Amino acid sequence: MGIFKRVSERDRFGQEVAARIAADKRVASAVYDPDGFKVTVRRHDGAGEGELFLGNAFRERERLDADERRVQLDRLASNVAPPPVPTGWAEVRPALRPVLRQADFGMGHDGIPEVLSRPAQPCLSEFVVIDTPEAMAYPTLRDLDQWGVSAQEVFAAAHENLAREFGKLLEERGGHAPAVTDFMGVTHTYLGSLILLEGWLATWSAGWGRRPLVFVPDQGGMLVVPEPQSPDDLIALLDREQTRWGEAVRSISPVAYTLDDTGRVMPYDVPAGHPARDVVRRGWGALASVVYSSQTERLRAAARPGDPFAAAFSRYGRPGTDATFTLATWSNDQPTLLPEAEWIAFPENGDDEQFFATWEVVAEETGLVPEPGYHPARYLVSDWPEPEAMSRLRARAATP
């Protein structure tokens, strides 16, 4: 009797794209990587190695009919080689732009990005692209070595170019922008990148008299509005933008962002007990769930004997309310990479019993330190905390 391994729709799609690209006579090899969900392409002419990430295309595919899927496959198969991009720093520098993406974009099988990036917001990262009239490419650390520059220099150049591109708009509208600025559907490639530009949001919203809220639900635009004064209006706004994020093919974030006291962009929040608190935190949890799930999948797929276990990040809803909460389990039987969930479960007596503590309480009582290289953060724990700390955690236990 034969043993058959079921191929997932995700892997079937990746294999199909790779096969179509490999059929091109210009291509030496096209290899599907299920861990990175990408196709690595090499051409016969020595043009180098290119990577086609498939996440956005796969999400888009789910909404297409059979004919549209064939068109999409033809379009993907046309990406038969690394795009022609400048190779010297003098040529590359003016073509650099920053972009905001979910932190799992371009993530390698070990849960660490393979292309140049840095954390921007919780579960979001800033990437850099080389934008030319012919194509767009994401530089890697190997490219930096070739150019002889640091990552900081690359990010700084990308920001300078973005500021130059939108400088006139900021000069004309800064302090005089309309109370609601909806860039959704404008489809300018870099509108959503403005959130990365230091001082932009403060300049745009100067004179409003209220905190600005900015939403970047997808790669197609951005919404900037003053903070609604009515809780009902605020909830309706958050609901709408979270829905827009959920329906987006190239999604970025369902979270609202605002400015802290120093003028830096941060996730928007409201005090405990505020009518919009559950909806605000629901957006936080939704984004974290998507990105942590992707990270967990890659870490587990790449795990070797002796590697720490990548704990799951789970999200639950409270029936009859807008509230959700996130949960991870700290077990005492193996080294674990623990995600930063709102609640941590401590199973006891063979998992028959458990108690829960908030992340803030756990961090305070145990002094957890994030492992380098992971975004979103992971914390390596090899056993339960010391008995004294466990006693304090039990005393401060609560119910999610």
Side-chain angles (χ1 to χ4, degrees), residues 39-122:
V39 175
T40 301
V41 183
R42 285 186 178 276
R43 280 191 12 168
H44 287 297
D45 60 9
E49 182 177 278
E51 294 176 337
L52 177 63
F53 293 98
L54 301 175
N56 288 333
F58 185 68
R59 286 191 290 269
E60 180 183 46
R61 181 180 178 82
E62 294 176 340
R63 304 179 186 183
L64 304 179
D65 61 28
D67 290 337
E68 291 170 331
R69 288 186 176 189
R70 282 192 289 272
V71 172
Q72 182 202 46
L73 191 59
D74 290 339
R75 174 170 52 81
L76 292 171
S78 68
N79 291 290
V80 297
V85 296
T87 56
W89 176 240
E91 300 171 286
V92 167
R93 194 184 191 286
L96 298 173
R97 298 291 186 278
V99 293
L100 187 67
R101 299 287 185 265
Q102 291 179 357
D104 60 328
F105 177 82
M107 188 179 288
H109 66 278
D110 56 358
I112 297 174
E114 297 180 336
V115 293
L116 180 64
S117 69
R118 63 183 180 183
Q121 294 291 335

Side-chain angles (χ1 to χ4, degrees), residues 104 107 109-111 290-300 310 339 374-378:
D104 60 328
M107 188 179 288
H109 66 278
D110 56 358
V290 168
V291 179
Y292 264 123
S293 295
S294 177
Q295 185 193 60
T296 301
E297 181 180 345
R298 286 167 168 78
L299 289 171
R300 290 184 178 180
Y374 294 104
H375 180 57
R378 291 270 176 174

Side-chain angles (χ1 to χ4, degrees), residues 317-339:
R318 292 190 173 92
T321 73
D322 290 323
T324 63
F325 66 91
T326 60
L327 177 72
T329 299
W330 184 337
S331 63
N332 67 338
D333 58 359
Q334 61 184 328
T336 300
L337 285 169
L338 192 68

